[in-house]
Amino acid sequence: IVACLVEEWEWLNNFLKHNKKHLLPHERDNVWHFVEAYIAFAQKRFDDVIGSLSNVDDISDPSMVLRFKALQLRAYYEQHGRNDLVYDYAKSFELFLKRHKKKFNENTFAAYSNLIVFVRKLIRKKLNIQLLKDEIIACQALFFRGWLLGKIELIEKNIQSP
């Protein structure tokens, strides 16, 4: 994650290639595809995110499923903006989360639930940007706050420019 933040792509690729063999054999391919998707997201290659995630097989770890779904939700938003596909995926994610609620601690459940709520609010046609921004800032349990605030900032810029 740190290598993505500082955009050390060459170092990251070398590290991954060298250490792939240390992953558990039954998890190796899924973890590899998830890491590829994460890197693609950091590089704003959203088609590649969806492509890499589509190669992931059945995931047994529920917390990994949450990471996968959150990455896919954000990639769909980046690709398609404020449309029904994103809304439908958010709804599907929400149903998964509710069905498996007992598998997650309260804070994790709340943080992902809030992410879904805010993405759904972002795609509404009528949107009070300042109110949503204030809600995101005030929210205690929330994953990807910075990403959400970045989307708010883009919407604000689009509103201000003719």
Side-chain angles (χ1 to χ4, degrees), residues 113-130:
S113 293
N114 289 331
L115 170 65
I116 294 165
V117 165
F118 288 129
V119 168
R120 288 168 86 175
K121 287 183 177 185
L122 268 178
I123 60 179
R124 289 183 184 155
K125 300 301 179 216
K126 294 183 180 180
L127 180 64
N128 182 331
I129 298 293
Q130 189 58 50

Side-chain angles (χ1 to χ4, degrees), residues 11-47:
W11 179 89
L12 179 58
N13 285 325
N14 290 333
F15 175 84
L16 292 171
K17 286 176 187 172
H18 181 266
N19 290 291
K20 182 179 181 180
K21 64 185 175 225
H22 299 297
L23 296 170
L24 296 173
H26 67 282
E27 294 179 348
R28 184 174 296 140
D29 288 340
N30 282 345
V31 170
W32 188 257
H33 292 305
F34 181 79
V35 168
E36 284 180 329
Y38 190 89
I39 293 168
F41 188 89
Q43 294 176 335
K44 299 182 183 341
R45 296 182 293 111
F46 304 113
D47 286 337

Side-chain angles (χ1 to χ4, degrees), residues 83-95:
N83 75 12
D84 290 341
L85 174 69
V86 180
Y87 184 86
D88 291 343
Y89 190 80
K91 187 172 179 110
S92 159
F93 187 1
E94 179 182 43
L95 290 173

Side-chain angles (χ1 to χ4, degrees), residues 63-81:
S63 64
M64 188 68 178
V65 175
L66 290 180
R67 289 185 199 99
F68 171 95
K69 288 186 174 292
L71 182 59
Q72 194 160 16
L73 176 62
R74 293 183 302 137
Y76 279 145
Y77 183 92
E78 295 289 356
Q79 269 189 320
H80 303 287

Side-chain angles (χ1 to χ4, degrees), residues 1-7 12 38:
I1 293 175
V2 173
C4 287
L5 293 174
V6 296
E7 298 182 2
L12 179 58
Y38 190 89

Side-chain angles (χ1 to χ4, degrees), residues 46 77-78 122 146-156:
F46 304 113
Y77 183 92
E78 295 289 356
L122 268 178
W147 177 80
L148 287 164
L149 291 172
K151 300 302 110 190
I152 294 283
E153 188 177 309
L154 284 174
I155 293 170
E156 287 174 328

